[in-house]
Amino acid sequence: MNLSTALLTDHYELTMIQAAMRSGHADRPCVFEAFARRLPDGRRYGVLAGTGRVLEALRDFRFGEEEIAYLRERSVVDDRTLDWLAGYRFSGDIWGYAEGEVYLPGSPLMVVESTFAEGVVLETLILSVLNHDSAVASAASRMTAAAGDRPCIEMGSRRTHEESAVAAARAAYIAGFASTSNLEAGRRHGIPTAGTAAHSYTLLHDDERDAFANQLASLGLQTTLLVDTYDVTAAVELAVELAGPELGGVRLDSGDLVGQAHEVRAQLDALGARGTRIVVTSDLDEHAIAALQAAPVDRYGVGTSVVTGSGHPAAGMVYKLVSRESDAGRMEGVAKASKDKASVGGRKFALRRRSAAGVARAEIIGIDERPQDDGDDRELLVRLVADGEVVALTDAGSARERHARSRAELPVTALRLSHGEAAIPTEYLDDWS
Amino acid sequence: MNLSTALLTDHYELTMIQAAMRSGHADRPCVFEAFARRLPDGRRYGVLAGTGRVLEALRDFRFGEEEIAYLRERSVVDDRTLDWLAGYRFSGDIWGYAEGEVYLPGSPLMVVESTFAEGVVLETLILSVLNHDSAVASAASRMTAAAGDRPCIEMGSRRTHEESAVAAARAAYIAGFASTSNLEAGRRHGIPTAGTAAHSYTLLHDDERDAFANQLASLGLQTTLLVDTYDVTAAVELAVELAGPELGGVRLDSGDLVGQAHEVRAQLDALGARGTRIVVTSDLDEHAIAALQAAPVDRYGVGTSVVTGSGHPAAGMVYKLVSRESDAGRMEGVAKASKDKASVGGRKFALRRRSAAGVARAEIIGIDERPQDDGDDRELLVRLVADGEVVALTDAGSARERHARSRAELPVTALRLSHGEAAIPTEYLDDWS
């Protein structure tokens, strides 16, 4: 396995560099921008995640001997381009929204200022990371908003690629999940991990009593027993008989969760186990969580829907050339005119306009010029890379705090799960207005 | 970055081992099975992919010093369990469907025969790989079936996690895609890569003429020019003016592709460029491809929909304990009774029943016993791992050939894109019948 991230790149990024070297434009000063043209259908806000991972991957973005040998052998590009790639070090500036920030359609989430060649070659990697991680974080934020004070546990590793699973755990944590089942996410990103037992553990034993008794003896009374392998009522009774009222929790993983939660809570209370938590799992998404909020549930375990973005597995971000130096030596905004995919040219700046009470009112985007701060506004672009040096690595913990603050600023309608418009409008201030 | 795959694992796999060690059942002979309870809504068959990647990951599944140190520091499991993990080497047998094989609900896709502890600890990794790769391959197979003889190019790297992108390219290739944009997939899995230029390349230049002329000079006349940055008709005329009738191709990435394909084909033909290919991209999925089959299109570039499983980003496979030794020392089938998630106990065997003409008729699954071959049937389980040694590593190329053969056996209705039942029924032969 090779540790370079440089080949996590589309073939055409390199052929474009070759062609641009021939035209003498590969070194033109350029501005690239990553943004989402729209939010997934009906969603009211997006959550930016992955920025920290992009910056880490940037450090390993080197075309080493093995990468060059592969490209040469397959004649992907010519020798002149290979020589340039072999010496590649990103030397420009990158600005972006801070990780965890809420975003809207058109928000300039990452702005790369560099030569054409230095910036274009990062397109695939930047979009892969941001599109994946933001899709998960955007879905996860709806779930934690629906769950209120009840902790959500991310447990979807088995429903996504093994490395996506680690990134998904990180993105869900940024969006407010309390913990993950994924041990590598625990090690790599410092996220709390959780888990107790599956049905296979119960089935391994000749009877449920033996399984529960050993789990309690081994993992302690605070463990969570899975009670739906055979009969839920019998299992709950057995659990409290063996553990006493100190039992940590019981988990329900099938059937009508709302009805069962009420029944099990009543049964636990009648048995004196008033502090025993009810954990529910089984195809939960934000809507199922909302429907369970009136039921006596203590924790939500969420799998498939969070790691696959709850119906929207990619955030839909694109990376576009928005400005470049012209033959006349001036920076000029550029935009394609393609039907249904037009983009807005120019280097962007962004503020979150807020009321005096601190409620977000609009996403204000300046083109080639910084918008005026009204006094209560918040600047959104921070410098991430300066002259090729990463200056603002973010970890999952700080991104998580930022997300909580950013979401709390939104108007209350933003947290509705029903289909709706973006929580706040995006307003472009063009420099000719 | 650490190269062990051992922590790509759910926390509870390890706590189950700890509890099972206490009950003395961690070493019980067991059979685990990976299967899909159902196909995604309306799909007629699934495509197994990822088997080769599972076997590679198995070789790196070692709890080394760093992994053990993390688990100890976070008190995930006790010292006795850590000692066992430190010495972990899978020593059992694994059987499975060969990679690329078509599957149906209940098909025993991977059968792990080992002690409880040795088998349970592989659950997360096996499911992550198979659920992701099979979701992509299953969607990709519908696309290549719809595309017929026209090549499909996988170009969705930017719409999925950067490592998923590499695995997705491999899975799409297995399902018949001709090439990928992903260079790492080219290097790691030997898949042909392709790509020419994006809108940013055209916008970099002061005019389209300069951009096209340099691309042709640098990449040759066989390159594909992107013609929808400004005006398609003008760009096509310019392209043929500069390249002559030898121009390799033009790419359309926006607007009404069917209408434009007809117009551009007529224009190219009128200009004498009868051999110039039309490549279409832009949010294609199997339905869009089917709708384009009557249009004069030569190649399909597919992005988001193939890497995200075209609406079904996870294949829905589960990994269940289906048999284990009892206190009495006999192997016994086990199954949970959970509502809506019941499983079928027992070690499975599988045949694809075929007519004398070689058309698949049913998926025959024997429980604890090999079904009788009717003479035209095909055995589906092959041994992948024997006594811990991988004996059947598969590469993407051989899986691709297998998929083509396996799909060709299905009844013709299987290739319909409309919602329908599974292409062939799954029939269980239970040993009491």
Side-chain angles (χ1 to χ4, degrees), chain B residues 118-133:
Chain B
E118 285 194 22
V120 81
V121 76
L122 299 177
E123 174 176 31
T124 313
L125 183 61
I126 287 175
L127 287 178
S128 288
V129 175
L130 296 186
N131 270 322
H132 173 267
D133 292 14

Side-chain angles (χ1 to χ4, degrees), chain B residues 87-153:
Chain B
Y88 180 79
R89 299 285 184 277
F90 182 76
S91 67
D93 288 354
I94 301 180
W95 297 75
Y97 279 35
E99 191 164 13
E101 188 62 79
V102 161
Y103 70 83
L104 286 308
S107 297
L109 299 173
M110 194 168 275
V111 176
V112 176
E113 301 177 317
S114 67
T115 66
F116 176 77
E118 285 194 22
V120 81
V121 76
L122 299 177
E123 174 176 31
T124 313
L125 183 61
I126 287 175
L127 287 178
S128 288
V129 175
L130 296 186
N131 270 322
H132 173 267
D133 292 14
S134 301
V136 174
S138 298
S141 178
R142 285 160 61 85
M143 296 169 189
T144 57
D149 292 337
R150 298 177 177 178
C152 294
I153 308 161

Side-chain angles (χ1 to χ4, degrees), chain B residues 42 58 62 72 74 79 87 104 137 203 206 217 292 304 351 363 370 378:
Chain B
L58 181 63
R62 301 277 184 272
R72 177 174 284 121
R74 302 301 301 256
D79 285 346
L104 286 308
L203 293 171
D206 284 45
L292 281 158
T304 310
L351 289 180
E363 195 82 337
R370 197 178 300 273
R378 195 156 60 79

Side-chain angles (χ1 to χ4, degrees), chain B residues 33 35 64-65 76 83 98 110 166 187 229 257 269 282 290 299 302 345 348 410 433:
Chain B
E33 181 189 318
F35 64 98
E65 280 180 29
V76 173
D83 287 346
M110 194 168 275
V166 182
R187 170 167 68 169
T229 305
L257 296 175
D269 290 350
S282 185
R299 293 183 184 179
V302 188
K348 311 299 188 309
L410 293 176
S433 67

Side-chain angles (χ1 to χ4, degrees), chain A residues 237-251:
Chain A
E237 185 166 331
L238 176 63
V240 180
E241 178 199 325
L242 294 170
E246 301 303 307
L247 175 63
V250 296
R251 177 159 78 97

Side-chain angles (χ1 to χ4, degrees), chain B residues 293-309:
Chain B
Q293 279 298 95
V297 166
D298 299 280
R299 293 183 184 179
Y300 300 108
V302 188
T304 310
S305 69
V306 64
V307 300
T308 60

